[in-house]
């Protein structure tokens, strides 16, 4: 299949997953700073972009995280890292899902990974996915607990802050509302002032 057809099919699949939302100049700037163009990554790593697009369409590698307004497929710089760690693309799904004791949970996370929507993490691995889930759950429980330890709450928020990028306005459109950074980092810091550290006057 010609490269233009594969690129068009991939763009169509991306919009099926994410909806058809406009990318602004600010969105483009954010994405260009955080991600790389698929063809450029493939050139650096001596991979064929057509082969990679086929793997994405076949559900063996994740879809691009974003389509820039010029149509460029934007992917994380470590797109191939998990497949390499697993021993190859053909072994990736089994390796990935094995990180969850519950097979159904592992399959759900695999499907989420393939969607390309894990733009909420600087580095997408089973460990960071699981840790993000643990942190957001712990933060959510703590903000509803009047006896919660404020120091521990801010430590959880700081750890999540380190895992997550800033997000962009496009993300709030495709996810239909605020991001986890909005609700679990920015809103929590605004609602709960950081306690003074020991030794501060």
């Amino acid at each position: 299949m010609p490269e233009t057809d594969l690129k068009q099919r991939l763009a169509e699949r991306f919009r099926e997953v994410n909806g058809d939302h406009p990318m602004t100049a600010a969105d483009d700037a954010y994405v260009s700073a955080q991600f790389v163009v698929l063809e450029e990554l493939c050139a650096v790593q001596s991979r064929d972009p057509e082969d990679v697009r086929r793997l994405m369409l076949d559900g063996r590698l994740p879809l691009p995280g974003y389509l820039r307004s010029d149509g460029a497929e934007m992917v994380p710089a470590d797109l191939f890292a998990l497949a390499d760690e697993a021993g190859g693309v053909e072994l990736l799904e089994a390796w990935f899902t094995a990180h969850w004791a519950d097979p159904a949970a592992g399959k759900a996370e695999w499907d989420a990974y393939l969607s390309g929507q894990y733009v909420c993490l600087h580095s997408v691995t089973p460990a960071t996915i699981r840790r993000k889930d643990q942190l957001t759950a712990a933060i959510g429980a703590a903000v509803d607990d009047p006896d919660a330890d404020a120091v521990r709450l801010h430590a959880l928020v700081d750890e999540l802050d380190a895992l997550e990028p800033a997000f962009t306005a496009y993300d709030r459109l495709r996810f239909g509302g605020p991001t986890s950074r909005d609700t679990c980092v920015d809103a929590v810091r605004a609602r709960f002032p950081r306690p003074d550290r020991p030794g501060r006057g």
Side-chain angles (χ1 to χ4, degrees):
M1 181 178 294
E3 181 177 356
T4 52
D5 291 346
L6 282 172
K7 189 166 185 174
Q8 180 178 343
R9 282 182 57 203
L10 191 58
E12 290 170 353
R13 176 75 62 80
F14 178 91
R15 293 189 176 96
E16 287 174 5
V17 171
N18 294 282
D20 193 2
H21 306 292
M23 287 282 285
T24 66
D27 293 329
D28 283 345
Y30 169 84
V31 169
S32 296
Q34 297 280 341
F35 293 80
V36 296
V37 178
L38 175 62
E39 287 95 339
E40 294 175 2
L41 181 63
C42 288
V44 169
Q45 299 210 5
S46 301
R47 297 176 187 261
D48 184 342
E50 290 188 51
D51 290 343
V52 174
R53 290 186 181 105
R54 287 191 187 94
L55 290 170
M56 291 176 169
L57 289 166
D58 289 344
R60 300 174 71 190
L61 281 177
L63 297 176
Y66 299 87
L67 288 185
R68 210 166 54 190
S69 60
D70 63 0
E73 301 136 323
M74 306 302 292
V75 298
D78 61 355
L79 174 65
F80 305 114
L82 289 190
D84 290 343
E85 187 173 349
V89 171
E90 67 280 0
L91 301 175
L92 178 56
E93 180 177 2
W95 176 89
F96 185 100
T97 57
H99 286 79
W100 282 266
D102 179 359
K107 179 63 166 62
E109 291 294 353
W110 172 251
D111 291 342
Y113 171 69
L114 289 181
S115 75
Q117 291 188 339
Y118 265 122
V119 296
C120 54
L121 292 166
H122 286 296
S123 178
V124 182
T125 69
T128 57
I129 291 170
R130 293 176 65 180
R131 187 57 182 156
K132 183 206 167 191
D133 287 345
Q134 292 165 355
L135 288 168
T136 54
I139 292 167
V143 297
D144 292 331
D145 181 358
D147 297 320
D149 181 339
V151 173
R152 177 177 179 274
L153 172 59
H154 279 275
L156 295 170
V157 170
D158 290 347
E159 186 179 350
L160 182 62
D161 184 11
L163 288 177
E164 294 196 334
F167 293 96
T168 190
Y170 171 84
D171 293 316
R172 296 172 181 89
L173 294 177
R174 68 163 154 184
F175 296 138
T179 66
S180 55
R181 170 170 287 280
D182 295 331
T183 58
C184 292
V185 177
D186 297 338
V188 176
R189 285 175 172 165
R191 180 180 169 191
F192 298 94
R194 186 182 294 272
D196 286 341
R197 294 190 180 93
R200 289 180 58 184

